[in-house]
Amino acid sequence: MSEDVKKFLYVNRKAPYGTIYALEALEVVLIGAAFDQDVSLAFLDDGVFQLTSGQDTAAIGVKNFSPTFRALGDYEVTRLYVERESLEERGLSAEDLQEITYEDEDDDWAEKPSIRVVSREEMAAIMAEQDVILSF
Amino acid sequence: MSTLHTVNKSPFETRTLESCLAHCRPGDAVLMIEDGVYGALSGTALSDRVAAKAGAVKLYVLTPDIAARGLPEDRMIAGVTGVDYRGFVDLVAEHDRTQAWL
Amino acid sequence: MKIGVVVSEGPYTHQAADSAYNFVRAALAAGHEVPRVFFYHDGVNVSTRLSVPPQDERNIQENWTALAAEHGTDLVVCIAAAQRRGLLDANEAKRQGKDADNIAEGFRISGLGQLIEMAIQTDRLVMFGD
């Protein structure tokens, strides 16, 4: 790996809409994508609520930013790690999350899932291999 | 390769400390700052769970924040080390990365 | 060592801006470099020159302005977060057709790219927030 490429992990631990952290985290991810770093996103604790399908904010008068997650593949952000224990503690499973995919340029542009459900232990290992951890 | 984790929430209000401790790896350090320092108190409903992590993970508390809150240092869980801001800086430098559990 | 710092919570309500300030002072005193501090989320509110805290309280904005003057630390306020919250420098005020600006000396408004650049160029990143 080139010395000027760092491993960035955006850690999302907060639910959407109640506070702005999730939306403004996504804004950092989109801008950060232009810097050609090695980027992953982590969703744990209440952060897993950011990815639920069927979000409808019409009646609260706030912008629904959940479709933006589906555009991340176009920005070459293709790894969204979601913690299994966090899902289970909240009565959720991977089926409750929206489908997010990317086209793999190394595999004839095959469409592949961006969401990777990992165990808490795997999440800890992912965190431990980063150069930069941005927390939201 | 190790991580310095910072926790700034009271464990009686949020599960941040618990989540942080569950993601620590051997050799990591946890520094409790701001309202996070309440997690270092002995004799609480959570003390045993925090103390059980001491050893595999090094536990620190920011002394200016415990002094501000009127918590005597001898009320801290055994195995928790007090550091001042200079000590905080040293911990940042000594570990490969810092992860804030905001 | 080069240390980058992020302040992501507003002043006075939350301790984050004070903790970050004390940390940066200690880092500089220990001989480290703190080339930039990036203000994000409600942390952008630190940069208003219009806050008037009681005289027996610290003035968080003035503390940071003095630190920047002494050490040349680049205090960057995220433009997107700032505009949402009513923080404008003279250029932005003019561009947006607003009749006032309020960014204090020592702070500058710029894009989120400055945060990523800071993370790339420093050895450590330390975040203070809520």
Side-chain angles (χ1 to χ4, degrees), chain B residues 18-64:
Chain B
E18 196 179 327
S19 185
C20 169
L21 292 174
H23 291 87
C24 281
R25 289 156 65 89
D28 284 359
V30 176
L31 171 63
M32 293 169 261
I33 68 169
E34 299 172 0
D35 286 351
V37 300
Y38 295 115
L41 278 177
S42 60
T44 75
L46 300 169
S47 301
D48 288 349
R49 299 231 295 274
V50 177
K53 270 283 179 178
V57 173
K58 285 192 181 134
L59 302 175
Y60 297 90
V61 65
L62 193 66
T63 50

Side-chain angles (χ1 to χ4, degrees), chain A residues 6 9-10 13-14 21 28 46 53 65 109 118 120 136:
Chain A
K6 286 190 171 181
L9 183 69
Y10 295 88
R13 295 184 48 250
K14 296 189 171 95
Y21 302 107
V28 181
D46 279 354
S53 56
F65 60 88
W109 306 100
V118 298
R120 184 159 286 161
F136 296 97

Side-chain angles (χ1 to χ4, degrees), chain A residues 6 14 21 24 27 135-136, chain C residues 9 40-41 84 122 130:
Chain A
K6 286 190 171 181
K14 296 189 171 95
Y21 302 107
E24 287 190 333
E27 291 184 346
S135 308
F136 296 97
Chain C
E9 194 57 44
Y40 197 46
H41 301 314
R84 277 196 182 104
T122 54
D130 189 21

Side-chain angles (χ1 to χ4, degrees), chain A:
Chain A
M1 183 182 292
S2 161
E3 272 210 14
D4 41 15
V5 172
K6 286 190 171 181
K7 289 176 77 75
F8 274 65
L9 183 69
Y10 295 88
V11 175
N12 296 281
R13 295 184 48 250
K14 296 189 171 95
Y17 309 117
T19 56
I20 200 170
Y21 302 107
L23 167 62
E24 287 190 333
L26 202 45
E27 291 184 346
V28 181
V29 174
L30 295 176
I31 297 290
F35 284 76
D36 294 327
Q37 303 294 302
D38 182 3
V39 172
S40 305
L41 274 59
F43 296 85
L44 60 151
D45 298 337
D46 279 354
V48 300
F49 287 127
Q50 293 181 27
L51 297 175
T52 56
S53 56
Q55 294 178 23
D56 178 0
T57 60
I60 64 167
V62 173
K63 180 176 155 188
N64 179 356
F65 60 88
S66 66
T68 309
F69 288 112
R70 296 199 293 274
L72 288 176
D74 299 336
Y75 291 80
E76 293 180 46
V77 176
T78 60
R79 290 187 303 267
L80 278 62
Y81 297 108
V82 179
E83 188 175 275
R84 180 177 295 114
E85 288 86 342
S86 294
L87 287 171
E88 288 170 354
E89 286 162 5
R90 288 159 181 78
L92 298 176
S93 68
E95 286 71 49
D96 296 304
L97 308 182
Q98 58 172 329
E99 197 180 349
I100 302 173
T101 58
Y102 71 102
E103 292 175 342
D104 187 350
E105 61 177 315
D106 298 327
D107 190 10
D108 197 24
W109 306 100
E111 200 168 317
K112 295 185 176 178
S114 299
I115 290 182
R116 301 155 197 222
V117 177
V118 298
S119 70
R120 184 159 286 161
E121 197 178 339
E122 288 168 323
M123 185 65 89
I126 289 162
M127 289 169 170
E129 63 185 27
Q130 304 300 319
D131 295 308
V132 176
I133 297 179
L134 290 157
S135 308
F136 296 97

